[in-house]
Short mmCIF file of all heavy atoms in Angstrom, two decimals:
data_model
loop_
_atom_site.label_atom_id
_atom_site.label_comp_id
_atom_site.label_asym_id
_atom_site.label_seq_id
_atom_site.Cartn_x
_atom_site.Cartn_y
_atom_site.Cartn_z
N ALA A 1 -93.26 -28.26 14.67
CA ALA A 1 -94.39 -28.55 13.85
C ALA A 1 -95.53 -29.20 14.58
O ALA A 1 -96.69 -28.78 14.47
CB ALA A 1 -93.96 -29.42 12.65
N ARG A 2 -95.19 -30.19 15.40
CA ARG A 2 -96.24 -30.94 16.18
C ARG A 2 -96.94 -29.98 17.17
O ARG A 2 -98.14 -29.89 17.26
CB ARG A 2 -95.57 -32.09 16.92
CG ARG A 2 -96.57 -32.99 17.65
CD ARG A 2 -95.84 -34.16 18.30
NE ARG A 2 -94.94 -34.88 17.41
CZ ARG A 2 -93.60 -34.84 17.48
NH1 ARG A 2 -93.01 -34.13 18.43
NH2 ARG A 2 -92.87 -35.49 16.62
N ALA A 3 -96.09 -29.12 17.89
CA ALA A 3 -96.66 -28.26 18.90
C ALA A 3 -97.46 -27.09 18.24
O ALA A 3 -98.35 -26.53 18.86
CB ALA A 3 -95.58 -27.71 19.78
N SER A 4 -97.07 -26.74 17.03
CA SER A 4 -97.75 -25.63 16.33
C SER A 4 -98.97 -26.12 15.54
O SER A 4 -99.83 -25.30 15.15
CB SER A 4 -96.79 -24.96 15.36
OG SER A 4 -95.63 -24.51 16.04
N GLY A 5 -99.08 -27.41 15.32
CA GLY A 5 -100.21 -27.93 14.55
C GLY A 5 -100.05 -27.71 13.09
O GLY A 5 -101.06 -27.50 12.39
N VAL A 6 -98.79 -27.60 12.56
CA VAL A 6 -98.55 -27.34 11.12
C VAL A 6 -97.60 -28.43 10.63
O VAL A 6 -97.04 -29.23 11.39
CB VAL A 6 -98.01 -25.95 10.91
CG1 VAL A 6 -98.91 -24.88 11.43
CG2 VAL A 6 -96.59 -25.84 11.60
N HIS A 7 -97.42 -28.44 9.34
CA HIS A 7 -96.51 -29.36 8.69
C HIS A 7 -95.11 -28.91 8.86
O HIS A 7 -94.83 -27.69 9.04
CB HIS A 7 -96.84 -29.48 7.17
CG HIS A 7 -96.21 -30.65 6.54
ND1 HIS A 7 -94.91 -30.61 6.03
CD2 HIS A 7 -96.62 -31.96 6.30
CE1 HIS A 7 -94.58 -31.79 5.49
NE2 HIS A 7 -95.63 -32.61 5.71
N VAL A 8 -94.16 -29.81 8.85
CA VAL A 8 -92.73 -29.50 8.97
C VAL A 8 -92.32 -28.46 7.90
O VAL A 8 -91.50 -27.53 8.14
CB VAL A 8 -91.85 -30.77 8.81
CG1 VAL A 8 -90.37 -30.41 8.65
CG2 VAL A 8 -92.03 -31.66 10.03
N SER A 9 -92.85 -28.58 6.71
CA SER A 9 -92.46 -27.65 5.63
C SER A 9 -92.86 -26.23 5.98
O SER A 9 -92.24 -25.27 5.56
CB SER A 9 -93.11 -28.07 4.29
OG SER A 9 -94.53 -28.07 4.37
N THR A 10 -94.03 -26.07 6.70
CA THR A 10 -94.43 -24.73 7.08
C THR A 10 -93.49 -24.11 8.11
O THR A 10 -93.14 -22.92 8.04
CB THR A 10 -95.82 -24.80 7.70
OG1 THR A 10 -96.77 -25.34 6.72
CG2 THR A 10 -96.32 -23.41 8.12
N VAL A 11 -92.96 -24.95 8.99
CA VAL A 11 -91.95 -24.45 9.97
C VAL A 11 -90.69 -24.01 9.19
O VAL A 11 -90.08 -22.98 9.45
CB VAL A 11 -91.60 -25.51 11.02
CG1 VAL A 11 -90.49 -25.00 11.96
CG2 VAL A 11 -92.86 -25.92 11.78
N SER A 12 -90.31 -24.86 8.23
CA SER A 12 -89.11 -24.52 7.41
C SER A 12 -89.27 -23.21 6.71
O SER A 12 -88.35 -22.37 6.70
CB SER A 12 -88.84 -25.67 6.42
OG SER A 12 -87.77 -25.36 5.60
N ARG A 13 -90.45 -23.00 6.07
CA ARG A 13 -90.69 -21.72 5.39
C ARG A 13 -90.74 -20.57 6.30
O ARG A 13 -90.38 -19.43 5.99
CB ARG A 13 -91.99 -21.83 4.53
CG ARG A 13 -91.90 -22.50 3.25
CD ARG A 13 -93.10 -22.24 2.31
NE ARG A 13 -94.33 -22.69 2.93
CZ ARG A 13 -94.79 -23.93 2.86
NH1 ARG A 13 -94.07 -24.83 2.18
NH2 ARG A 13 -95.92 -24.26 3.40
N THR A 14 -91.22 -20.80 7.51
CA THR A 14 -91.32 -19.67 8.54
C THR A 14 -89.90 -19.09 8.72
O THR A 14 -89.76 -17.85 8.91
CB THR A 14 -91.92 -20.17 9.82
OG1 THR A 14 -93.24 -20.65 9.60
CG2 THR A 14 -91.86 -19.08 10.87
N PHE A 15 -88.89 -19.93 8.74
CA PHE A 15 -87.55 -19.46 8.95
C PHE A 15 -86.79 -19.11 7.68
O PHE A 15 -85.92 -18.26 7.68
CB PHE A 15 -86.76 -20.49 9.76
CG PHE A 15 -87.18 -20.57 11.20
CD1 PHE A 15 -88.10 -21.58 11.60
CD2 PHE A 15 -86.72 -19.67 12.14
CE1 PHE A 15 -88.52 -21.65 12.88
CE2 PHE A 15 -87.17 -19.72 13.45
CZ PHE A 15 -88.05 -20.69 13.86
N SER A 16 -87.13 -19.79 6.58
CA SER A 16 -86.31 -19.59 5.30
C SER A 16 -86.95 -18.57 4.41
O SER A 16 -86.29 -17.83 3.70
CB SER A 16 -86.22 -20.88 4.58
OG SER A 16 -87.49 -21.40 4.17
N ALA A 17 -88.32 -18.47 4.43
CA ALA A 17 -89.03 -17.49 3.56
C ALA A 17 -90.31 -17.05 4.30
O ALA A 17 -91.45 -17.31 3.94
CB ALA A 17 -89.37 -18.16 2.22
N PRO A 18 -90.14 -16.25 5.39
CA PRO A 18 -91.28 -15.88 6.26
C PRO A 18 -92.38 -15.08 5.51
O PRO A 18 -93.51 -15.17 5.91
CB PRO A 18 -90.66 -15.06 7.34
CG PRO A 18 -89.26 -14.61 6.80
CD PRO A 18 -88.87 -15.68 5.88
N HIS A 19 -91.99 -14.41 4.43
CA HIS A 19 -92.99 -13.63 3.68
C HIS A 19 -93.99 -14.53 2.97
O HIS A 19 -95.05 -14.07 2.50
CB HIS A 19 -92.31 -12.70 2.67
CG HIS A 19 -91.46 -13.41 1.69
ND1 HIS A 19 -90.25 -13.99 2.03
CD2 HIS A 19 -91.59 -13.69 0.37
CE1 HIS A 19 -89.68 -14.58 0.94
NE2 HIS A 19 -90.48 -14.40 -0.06
N LEU A 20 -93.69 -15.83 2.85
CA LEU A 20 -94.61 -16.79 2.16
C LEU A 20 -95.59 -17.52 3.17
O LEU A 20 -96.38 -18.29 2.74
CB LEU A 20 -93.75 -17.83 1.43
CG LEU A 20 -92.83 -17.38 0.31
CD1 LEU A 20 -92.09 -18.55 -0.30
CD2 LEU A 20 -93.60 -16.59 -0.75
N VAL A 21 -95.42 -17.14 4.44
CA VAL A 21 -96.24 -17.76 5.46
C VAL A 21 -97.28 -16.79 5.98
O VAL A 21 -96.95 -15.65 6.29
CB VAL A 21 -95.38 -18.36 6.61
CG1 VAL A 21 -96.24 -19.06 7.66
CG2 VAL A 21 -94.34 -19.32 6.08
N ASN A 22 -98.54 -17.26 6.16
CA ASN A 22 -99.57 -16.45 6.74
C ASN A 22 -99.08 -15.83 8.05
O ASN A 22 -98.48 -16.51 8.89
CB ASN A 22 -100.77 -17.31 6.97
CG ASN A 22 -101.91 -16.62 7.71
OD1 ASN A 22 -101.88 -16.58 8.92
ND2 ASN A 22 -102.86 -16.12 6.95
N THR A 23 -99.43 -14.57 8.33
CA THR A 23 -98.90 -13.85 9.45
C THR A 23 -99.30 -14.59 10.77
O THR A 23 -98.45 -14.74 11.64
CB THR A 23 -99.42 -12.39 9.49
OG1 THR A 23 -99.07 -11.74 8.28
CG2 THR A 23 -98.94 -11.64 10.73
N GLU A 24 -100.55 -15.00 10.93
CA GLU A 24 -101.02 -15.64 12.15
C GLU A 24 -100.20 -16.98 12.36
O GLU A 24 -99.73 -17.22 13.46
CB GLU A 24 -102.46 -15.94 12.07
CG GLU A 24 -103.04 -16.59 13.29
CD GLU A 24 -104.53 -16.92 13.19
OE1 GLU A 24 -105.14 -16.36 12.24
OE2 GLU A 24 -104.99 -17.70 14.00
N THR A 25 -100.05 -17.75 11.27
CA THR A 25 -99.32 -18.97 11.37
C THR A 25 -97.86 -18.78 11.72
O THR A 25 -97.26 -19.40 12.57
CB THR A 25 -99.46 -19.77 10.05
OG1 THR A 25 -100.80 -20.03 9.74
CG2 THR A 25 -98.74 -21.08 10.12
N ARG A 26 -97.27 -17.75 11.00
CA ARG A 26 -95.84 -17.46 11.26
C ARG A 26 -95.64 -17.08 12.73
O ARG A 26 -94.68 -17.56 13.35
CB ARG A 26 -95.43 -16.30 10.37
CG ARG A 26 -93.87 -15.96 10.45
CD ARG A 26 -93.50 -14.96 9.46
NE ARG A 26 -94.08 -13.64 9.63
CZ ARG A 26 -94.92 -13.06 8.79
NH1 ARG A 26 -95.30 -13.69 7.68
NH2 ARG A 26 -95.40 -11.84 9.05
N ASN A 27 -96.50 -16.19 13.25
CA ASN A 27 -96.30 -15.81 14.63
C ASN A 27 -96.48 -16.96 15.63
O ASN A 27 -95.79 -17.04 16.64
CB ASN A 27 -97.33 -14.68 15.02
CG ASN A 27 -97.07 -13.37 14.25
OD1 ASN A 27 -95.93 -13.18 13.80
ND2 ASN A 27 -98.03 -12.50 14.13
N ARG A 28 -97.41 -17.84 15.30
CA ARG A 28 -97.59 -19.00 16.20
C ARG A 28 -96.39 -19.94 16.18
O ARG A 28 -95.92 -20.38 17.21
CB ARG A 28 -98.86 -19.80 15.72
CG ARG A 28 -99.18 -20.99 16.71
CD ARG A 28 -100.52 -21.59 16.38
NE ARG A 28 -100.58 -22.37 15.21
CZ ARG A 28 -101.18 -22.02 14.06
NH1 ARG A 28 -101.76 -20.84 13.98
NH2 ARG A 28 -101.19 -22.79 13.02
N VAL A 29 -95.85 -20.17 14.95
CA VAL A 29 -94.68 -21.04 14.83
C VAL A 29 -93.52 -20.45 15.57
O VAL A 29 -92.78 -21.11 16.30
CB VAL A 29 -94.36 -21.28 13.35
CG1 VAL A 29 -93.00 -21.97 13.22
CG2 VAL A 29 -95.45 -22.16 12.71
N LEU A 30 -93.29 -19.11 15.36
CA LEU A 30 -92.16 -18.45 16.02
C LEU A 30 -92.30 -18.46 17.52
O LEU A 30 -91.27 -18.65 18.28
CB LEU A 30 -92.03 -16.98 15.49
CG LEU A 30 -91.65 -16.81 14.06
CD1 LEU A 30 -91.72 -15.36 13.67
CD2 LEU A 30 -90.24 -17.35 13.81
N ALA A 31 -93.51 -18.25 18.03
CA ALA A 31 -93.74 -18.33 19.51
C ALA A 31 -93.42 -19.72 20.06
O ALA A 31 -92.80 -19.85 21.11
CB ALA A 31 -95.18 -17.90 19.84
N VAL A 32 -93.90 -20.75 19.37
CA VAL A 32 -93.65 -22.12 19.83
C VAL A 32 -92.14 -22.42 19.79
O VAL A 32 -91.58 -23.03 20.69
CB VAL A 32 -94.43 -23.13 18.90
CG1 VAL A 32 -93.95 -24.56 19.22
CG2 VAL A 32 -95.92 -23.01 19.19
N ALA A 33 -91.51 -22.00 18.65
CA ALA A 33 -90.09 -22.23 18.54
C ALA A 33 -89.28 -21.55 19.72
O ALA A 33 -88.35 -22.11 20.26
CB ALA A 33 -89.56 -21.70 17.20
N GLU A 34 -89.77 -20.32 20.08
CA GLU A 34 -89.13 -19.65 21.15
C GLU A 34 -89.33 -20.37 22.50
O GLU A 34 -88.37 -20.56 23.33
CB GLU A 34 -89.64 -18.22 21.28
CG GLU A 34 -89.01 -17.33 22.35
CD GLU A 34 -87.56 -17.02 22.02
OE1 GLU A 34 -87.22 -17.03 20.82
OE2 GLU A 34 -86.78 -16.77 23.02
N ASP A 35 -90.55 -20.86 22.72
CA ASP A 35 -90.83 -21.60 23.93
C ASP A 35 -90.04 -22.85 24.05
O ASP A 35 -89.58 -23.27 25.16
CB ASP A 35 -92.33 -21.94 24.03
CG ASP A 35 -93.19 -20.69 24.28
OD1 ASP A 35 -92.64 -19.68 24.76
OD2 ASP A 35 -94.40 -20.76 24.01
#
């Protein structure tokens, strides 16, 4: 969350309900998580 510049809940939704997260934000979170 810190590295992505989003709230912890947004990271949680990215993995639990990705369809509820904006595409750009989801891709950024996933890329940071991978790194």
Side-chain angles (χ1 to χ4, degrees):
R2 188 179 305 111
S4 303
V6 300
H7 194 274
V8 169
S9 62
T10 302
V11 179
S12 177
R13 278 196 300 275
T14 297
F15 288 96
S16 63
H19 59 288
L20 298 179
V21 181
N22 173 276
T23 301
E24 181 182 347
T25 302
R26 182 173 69 243
N27 291 340
R28 184 169 74 253
V29 170
L30 291 174
V32 169
E34 183 68 25
D35 288 343

